[in-house]
Amino acid sequence: MPKKSEPQKSDLQSRLAELPAVDELLHEAFRRGLLPRFPRTLVGELVRSQLKTIKDRVVGESLQVKELFSAETFWSAVETALEEFLAANLKPVINATGVVIHTNLGRSPLAAAAVEQIAAVSGRYSNLEYDLETGSRSIRYVNVEALLCRLSGAEAAMVVNNNAGAVLLALSALADGREVVVSRGELVEIGGAFRIPEIVVQGGALLREVGATNRTHLKDYEAAINEETAILLKVHTSNYRLMGFTGQPEVRELVALGRKHGISVVEDLGSGNLLDLKAYGLPGEPTVREVMASGVDLVTFSGDKLLGGPQAGIVVGRRDLVEKLKKHPLNRALRIDKMTLAGLEAVLKCFLDPLTAVEKIPTLKMLTMTEAELKKRAQNLRRAIVRHCQADTRLELKIESSTSRAGGGTMPMVELPTFCLNLRVAGQSSALLEKYLRSRPFPIVVRIVDDWLVFDPRTIFTDEFPEIARACQELVNL
Ligand SMILES: *Cc1c(COP(=O)(O)O)cnc(C)c1O
């Protein structure tokens, strides 16, 4: 009973007073081992916010504290919130879409050797810019320059942050304040706001468009050349194809024209094939070596498209031109980091043996997988799911032929035949199931076709099958 002199507490105040104090809760957090397991300020923040949620309900719903507050639910909510907050935001996902070079999903998964080399180099000091023989400073591409020259037949090479950066650097270093001649058929937008007309302007050069959208002749290039012309730029149209009445001069003709006038030919190759993939039934994209052999002075390409390596912009070509790029101030701004160089070196070493490269580099392995192999994988995936879910009758599974895509703006018209595992759960909308798969701690990204979830085994690693089987069990129990 309150003493007479004390003001009577309102019912609400006395109910709120039953809630534990923050200090008390922080001691409890310590007793429960949340401290020092989690950062102190974060524990404090989440304890307060959890407490506020309960307080708001005590006020809003006129409930008793004991109806709302139980130590077990309180602490399990706090612990879950702490774990969620500290879980990695950038994390692995399973790519079941069949799009091999999926830019939104990180493009190329790296070869095991590359992952090992990145781990080996990044947790310690390294000889990134240090010559161990002389004990003096060196430059950072030495670990890959000779390899790139060997694989491409070029005299010199360098690497920057990505291919968009490589093109910008080449234009800035070779054409600043002068003219760049480009065919109207190659003034493309690659995606992610990389557009050739704009990148030329950004590089400080003046764009001289020549020809028509569908056809450009050698004489169009020749007519555009004047004393202000710095380079003839060729661009791989990547995610876009011209069909029908079309034509571009042969690269050799363009090179001969450039030589006649003392003008360099630069080519943005986009994907940059180091292997001839024709043997695997893929389209005959020229390899970097073939482009170099045709006399192009400088070539740029991505590290994470058909090369299957880390994000990088690779430049190979004439020594004097590469030297100009290396010395340009923009090169410092586009500098490549040690982890990328470590990974790139390992991937390039895989290409020294073309036969094993296709086995070791996941992107190439996925692109060259045979239909028989894909069918077998689809069957194995089905088997893994059926075994795990003990043939639950709500789960419907069927294997169907379908097509995968190369992605990454490479080979846009190419259909890669595949066999997919299609899945449905009786009574559940596939949109809901798809959303659930994305929201798991180990997310799975799938396509929906005609209300079926589609798993394309081309882009799924076989060691991910058990995880997919577990996820299917979760879907059935949703
Ligand atoms: C992909 C592509 C680029 C951009 O390369 P990133 O490595 O993504 O910066 C530039 N040019 C062409 C022709 C491309 O295909």
Side-chain angles (χ1 to χ4, degrees):
M1 277 299 280
K3 287 198 199 110
K4 243 193 179 140
S5 56
E6 260 181 28
Q8 183 79 38
K9 273 188 187 168
S10 74
D11 168 56
L12 179 61
Q13 276 171 326
S14 57
R15 276 191 291 134
L16 287 174
E18 284 172 40
L19 281 171
V22 172
D23 274 354
E24 211 178 291
L25 287 168
L26 287 177
H27 278 117
E28 180 62 16
F30 188 80
R31 274 194 297 276
R32 287 174 177 262
L34 295 182
L35 289 168
R37 193 174 135 215
F38 296 106
R40 184 166 201 95
T41 48
L42 200 58
V43 173
E45 214 175 281
L46 291 171
V47 159
R48 278 188 194 89
S49 94
Q50 191 60 30
L51 197 57
K52 184 172 180 311
T53 311
I54 296 172
K55 220 179 219 170
D56 289 348
R57 291 191 62 191
V58 171
V59 174
E61 300 171 28
S62 56
L63 293 166
Q64 295 298 324
V65 165
K66 59 175 177 300
E67 293 174 84
L68 288 166
F69 184 91
S70 97
E72 280 331 298
T73 51
F74 181 88
W75 288 108
S76 104
V78 168
E79 189 164 358
T80 306
L82 283 165
E83 274 163 1
E84 272 173 13
F85 186 94
L86 290 175
N89 294 324
L90 178 61
K91 57 190 169 186
V93 308
I94 294 175
N95 174 11
T97 65
V99 179
V100 179
I101 303 167
H102 197 309
T103 300
N104 297 160
L105 301 184
R107 287 202 183 155
S108 288
L110 294 181
V115 175
E116 271 167 36
Q117 204 48 32
I118 290 170
V121 154
S122 50
R124 297 175 186 282
Y125 295 104
S126 66
N127 61 338
L128 179 64
E129 285 187 357
Y130 184 77
D131 185 332
L132 291 169
E133 216 161 287
T134 62
S136 57
R137 190 182 167 173
S138 76
I139 56 159
R140 59 173 63 207
Y141 332 97
V142 284
N143 71 322
V144 291
E145 183 164 8
L147 271 169
L148 282 167
C149 291
R150 175 189 281 267
L151 293 166
S152 66
E155 291 178 349
M158 66 177 296
V159 194
V160 291
N161 179 63
N162 60 5
N163 186 35
V167 176
L168 180 63
L169 177 61
L171 290 164
S172 308
L174 307 178
D176 184 25
R178 299 176 64 207
E179 293 185 9
V180 174
V181 185
V182 191
S183 159
R184 289 200 168 92
E186 295 176 357
L187 292 173
V188 292
E189 172 179 312
I190 304 296
F194 180 83
R195 301 165 125 190
I196 293 300
E198 288 163 20
I199 211 92
V200 169
V201 172
Q202 199 61 46
L206 198 76
L207 176 66
R208 272 299 291 259
E209 306 177 15
V210 295
T213 306
N214 57 330
R215 278 170 84 86
T216 303
H217 304 276
L218 192 65
K219 63 177 192 291
D220 297 324
Y221 282 94
E222 185 145 35
I225 291 175
N226 62 56
E227 62 276 13
E228 287 304 311
T229 309
I231 52 180
L232 307 179
L233 177 65
K234 265 199 79 61
V235 182
H236 194 291
T237 52
S238 295
N239 50 2
Y240 163 81
R241 277 288 177 278
L242 280 173
M243 288 186 296
F245 186 56
T246 63
Q248 297 285 338
E250 294 279 332
V251 177
R252 282 176 193 283
E253 295 176 291
L254 212 55
V255 167
L257 181 67
R259 296 262 159 88
K260 186 168 129 197
H261 295 272
I263 295 167
S264 309
V265 176
V266 175
E267 181 159 6
D268 171 11
L269 255 188
S271 284
N273 244 350
L274 287 180
L275 272 189
D276 190 355
L277 295 171
K278 278 199 293 290
Y280 299 92
L282 291 163
E285 288 271 323
T287 62
V288 178
R289 174 176 286 281
E290 283 162 356
V291 174
M292 279 280 102
S294 68
V296 172
D297 298 286
L298 202 71
V299 169
T300 76
F301 52 97
S302 289
D304 53 358
K305 291 185 182 171
L306 286 181
L307 199 76
Q311 177 187 307
I314 299 169
V315 184
V316 298
R318 244 169 60 195
R319 183 175 305 286
D320 60 325
L321 300 182
V322 173
E323 283 307 314
K324 276 192 187 164
L325 267 60
K326 284 183 181 172
K327 294 199 182 93
H328 193 277
L330 198 51
N331 182 26
R332 175 63 183 80
L334 298 169
R335 184 157 94 174
I336 185 160
D337 96 305
K338 63 184 174 193
M339 288 184 274
T340 310
L341 278 170
L344 186 61
E345 177 183 342
V347 174
L348 291 173
K349 281 183 173 153
C350 293
F351 279 100
L352 292 174
D353 182 352
L355 286 179
T356 52
V358 176
E359 281 304 308
K360 290 180 186 159
I361 299 172
T363 298
L364 293 179
K365 190 178 171 78
M366 290 172 183
L367 285 172
T368 58
M369 224 175 259
T370 63
E371 282 180 73
E373 170 71 11
L374 287 157
K375 190 172 201 172
K376 199 172 82 199
R377 283 181 182 230
Q379 288 162 344
N380 287 344
L381 177 58
R382 176 168 60 186
R383 202 166 302 131
I385 294 170
V386 168
R387 201 178 305 134
H388 193 85
C389 301
Q390 286 152 359
D392 193 301
T393 50
R394 287 166 296 178
L395 197 62
E396 254 187 281
L397 297 165
K398 64 173 184 183
I399 291 172
E400 280 205 332
S401 62
S402 178
T403 47
S404 327
R405 286 192 290 133
T410 61
M411 310 186 248
M413 310 294 275
V414 187
E415 306 229 306
L416 301 170
T418 187
F419 286 92
C420 291
L421 180 67
N422 295 4
L423 178 151
R424 226 163 36 176
V425 177
Q428 287 284 23
S429 92
S430 48
L432 191 113
L433 301 178
E434 183 268 345
K435 186 160 181 262
Y436 174 79
L437 291 179
R438 269 191 278 127
S439 68
R440 303 172 76 244
F442 193 173
I444 304 171
V445 183
V446 298
R447 288 184 296 143
I448 298 178
V449 178
D450 296 333
D451 221 34
W452 289 82
L453 299 189
V454 177
F455 294 79
D456 187 336
R458 187 187 293 274
T459 49
I460 304 172
F461 292 91
T462 46
D463 66 2
E464 293 168 345
F465 287 3
E467 183 67 23
I468 293 177
R470 279 192 288 278
C472 289
Q473 180 75 70
E474 294 159 17
L475 291 180
V476 172
N477 294 333
L478 272 186

